[in-house]
Amino acid sequence: MPALVGPIKINLVASGAVMQVGDTLYVSPKISSKTFAGAGAFNTGNFIIANNGISLTNTLDSDVFDQNVAGNA
């Protein structure tokens, strides 16, 4: 459905970012990546308390391809 969109401020559009305003049929990624991080690594805020006794990050990846984007040209 059509929509009224007010002022838009875009600070940063990184590589592979998707910005959508209004109607769209589909959104298709052009790149993919994988990030490994331990417990509490992506916490954001002013006062974060993360109590992690033992934190192990499993980086073993038995399959080679996780998100194929070859057909999204």
Side-chain angles (χ1 to χ4, degrees):
M1 293 180 60
L4 297 175
V5 178
I8 297 174
K9 179 182 178 186
I10 301 173
N11 291 331
L12 173 68
V13 177
S15 171
V18 175
M19 190 231 164
Q20 175 211 342
V21 176
D23 299 337
T24 184
L25 179 63
Y26 65 92
V27 178
S28 177
K30 302 300 181 220
I31 64 169
S32 65
S33 63
K34 183 179 287 192
T35 302
F36 297 105
F42 295 118
N43 288 337
T44 59
N46 293 330
F47 303 103
I48 300 296
I49 298 174
N51 297 318
N52 301 316
I54 298 173
S55 175
L56 299 174
T57 303
N58 183 9
T59 59
L60 177 64
D61 187 14
S62 60
D63 58 340
V64 179
F65 303 108
D66 292 323
Q67 184 177 3
N68 298 331
V69 293
N72 296 330

